[in-house]
Amino acid sequence: MMNSRHGNRSKRKKKIWFLILTPILVIGIVATSYAVSVSMSAKEAVNNAQQEIEGRETTNKSELREEVVDPNVDNISILFMGIDDSTNRGYGASHARTDALLLATFNETDKSVKVVSIPRDSYVEIVGRDFYDKINHAHAFGGIDMTVNTVEQFLDVPVDYYVRLNFNAFMSIVNTLGGVTVDVPFEFTEQDSEDVQGAITLQEGLQQLNGEEALAFARTRVDSDYQRGIRQQQIIEAIIKKSMSFESLTKFDDVFASIGDNLTTNMSFDEMMSFHDYILSGSTPEVEHLTLIGEATYIRNNAGQDIYYYKVQDQSLQEVKDSLQAHLDLNDTTSPSTTLTQPGSSDADGSQTNEIQLQ
């Protein structure tokens, strides 16, 4: 009898339905057993979080796609947005800046995943505003729609799905899973989710982090945007590893419940569950991390302010584009050239850009 039970548990573990849903931040992981029905409350929580991207209400696809994708059979991409919509900021979710942006592509043939973390201060065209600015301002200007369009233009790949989570959702996921294990490279002190300075101090070394500590680890910018992106990827891997443990299987209803009001996505629950085949073997899928290499630069606006930006190198950007397009098995695409306004200059109608307000 004992052997039979153990065998059943082993088979059950190998039939996990798995999905990455986390953006540094806020990046949430959801899993469910193939043999056990997910509770209606979990399914309802995801379906209540639905918000379609503007312009796709009838087509259900990116303009960079010729046909509607099906995650059961097609290579697809997901944009993860982590936002800080705390009351301390004085704005709601629709006008918050993204604190983390990660694009993941999923190849159905070899069950591999590629992830690129886009530095929040990357100097890019803000689609719909007709000027260059920090990419994390796109969400403040135009919410989910402008962010998706800007990322598509920047990386030259379609964004099929998005998942937007705030800090509360990220911390809830980590806490519900019982914390995550991370190797902290050095001692540092960081503010907490309520912007209390010096509230979180992490020592160097391998340790288990709770939600607040994991958030501080993912957010800190004590060194560079490049290293910050690496730390965000470490957190993603730690959450994936923890979610794969057998003891975590019983917690996923709680995960869904904890992120309920803090999640927005255009993925249905059934579409999320289509990722089960990436994990049927019971092992973590191959994940390749891509890096956008760049350098710090300061550009003076019309108010005489020197604003910090992260300028991605052309060669690095092209290499990432090529890698993502190949992973999605796309034909070569070329973005149309446009005349853009530099930070601090006027829009076409003579109005001033918002760079001064959003630094």
Side-chain angles (χ1 to χ4, degrees), residues 183-210:
D183 191 2
V184 180
F186 49 78
E187 179 182 349
F188 70 88
T189 298
E190 184 59 61
Q191 66 185 17
D192 64 11
S193 60
E194 297 298 324
D195 295 340
V196 178
Q197 298 295 324
I200 306 293
T201 298
L202 296 182
Q203 303 298 323
E204 181 180 353
L206 189 67
Q207 57 201 278
Q208 181 163 294
L209 307 182
N210 62 28

Side-chain angles (χ1 to χ4, degrees), residues 25-62:
L25 258 305
V26 265
I27 296 175
I29 292 188
V30 194
T32 134
S33 169
Y34 179 84
V36 179
S37 296
V38 182
S39 73
M40 289 302 295
S41 60
K43 186 172 184 177
E44 183 179 2
V46 175
N47 288 337
N48 285 344
Q50 295 297 295
Q51 181 176 320
E52 188 51 83
I53 300 169
E54 184 178 5
R56 300 189 188 181
E57 296 87 351
T58 56
T59 62
N60 294 316
K61 69 177 183 65
S62 164

Side-chain angles (χ1 to χ4, degrees), residues 130-239:
D130 296 328
F131 61 81
Y132 276 89
D133 203 344
K134 298 178 181 181
I135 197 166
N136 72 330
H137 290 177
H139 193 275
F141 294 144
I144 291 167
D145 305 322
M146 190 171 288
T147 302
V148 168
N149 292 335
T150 296
V151 171
E152 284 193 333
Q153 172 77 9
F154 180 52
L155 296 179
D156 251 352
V157 295
V159 173
D160 299 309
Y161 300 101
Y162 76 87
V163 176
R164 185 183 71 180
L165 292 169
N166 63 18
F167 287 173
N168 290 331
F170 174 78
M171 292 187 295
S172 293
I173 290 168
V174 173
N175 288 332
T176 302
L177 291 175
V180 293
T181 301
V182 174
D183 191 2
V184 180
F186 49 78
E187 179 182 349
F188 70 88
T189 298
E190 184 59 61
Q191 66 185 17
D192 64 11
S193 60
E194 297 298 324
D195 295 340
V196 178
Q197 298 295 324
I200 306 293
T201 298
L202 296 182
Q203 303 298 323
E204 181 180 353
L206 189 67
Q207 57 201 278
Q208 181 163 294
L209 307 182
N210 62 28
E212 278 280 6
E213 293 166 339
L215 180 62
F217 181 80
R219 292 180 71 191
T220 189
R221 305 171 75 187
V222 294
D223 39 20
S224 67
D225 278 338
Y226 172 76
Q227 293 297 330
R228 186 173 184 265
I230 293 177
R231 285 190 291 275
Q232 291 174 4
Q233 293 169 355
Q234 282 182 264
I235 287 290
I236 294 172
E237 292 179 355
I239 295 176

Side-chain angles (χ1 to χ4, degrees), residues 18-30:
F18 168 90
L19 172 65
I20 305 172
L21 266 189
T22 256
I24 123 184
L25 258 305
V26 265
I27 296 175
I29 292 188
V30 194

Side-chain angles (χ1 to χ4, degrees), residues 221-269:
R221 305 171 75 187
V222 294
D223 39 20
S224 67
D225 278 338
Y226 172 76
Q227 293 297 330
R228 186 173 184 265
I230 293 177
R231 285 190 291 275
Q232 291 174 4
Q233 293 169 355
Q234 282 182 264
I235 287 290
I236 294 172
E237 292 179 355
I239 295 176
I240 292 173
K241 185 176 181 180
K242 188 61 178 286
S243 71
M244 290 287 293
S245 66
F246 183 75
E247 65 184 52
S248 295
L249 280 177
T250 60
K251 299 179 179 179
F252 291 119
D253 275 347
D254 294 334
V255 170
F256 278 113
S258 69
I259 66 177
D261 294 335
N262 301 308
L263 167 71
T264 309
T265 182
N266 65 336
M267 295 188 75
S268 69
F269 187 83

Side-chain angles (χ1 to χ4, degrees), residues 280-342:
L280 281 178
S281 65
S283 60
T284 304
E286 176 188 350
V287 179
E288 179 183 354
H289 299 290
L290 307 179
T291 301
L292 289 166
I293 300 173
E295 58 188 10
T297 187
Y298 288 85
I299 299 176
R300 180 161 296 184
N301 63 15
N302 285 352
Q305 298 172 306
D306 290 328
I307 307 300
Y308 168 82
Y309 296 94
Y310 184 81
K311 294 198 72 172
V312 178
Q313 297 175 2
D314 290 342
Q315 180 178 347
S316 176
L317 177 58
Q318 190 60 55
E319 289 174 353
V320 170
K321 287 180 179 181
D322 292 344
S323 181
L324 294 175
Q325 290 171 1
H327 198 234
L328 291 173
D329 195 23
L330 298 174
N331 294 326
D332 183 40
T333 57
T334 304
S335 299
S337 59
T338 55
T339 301
L340 303 174
T341 305
Q342 300 300 310

Side-chain angles (χ1 to χ4, degrees), residues 73-135:
V73 296
D74 295 321
N75 304 329
I76 61 96
S77 66
I78 304 177
L79 178 65
F80 299 100
M81 310 178 200
I83 63 169
D84 178 6
D85 60 356
S86 63
T87 54
N88 294 340
R89 301 298 187 200
Y91 43 61
S94 60
H95 296 291
R97 285 172 284 185
T98 48
D99 202 68
L101 276 175
L102 296 98
L103 183 75
T105 56
F106 296 78
N107 186 283
E108 181 67 22
T109 302
D110 59 16
K111 300 299 183 291
S112 62
V113 183
K114 292 192 177 186
V115 179
V116 58
S117 177
I118 307 173
R120 52 176 282 167
D121 293 327
S122 295
Y123 186 63
V124 305
E125 175 193 353
I126 305 297
V127 176
R129 300 288 293 188
D130 296 328
F131 61 81
Y132 276 89
D133 203 344
K134 298 178 181 181
I135 197 166

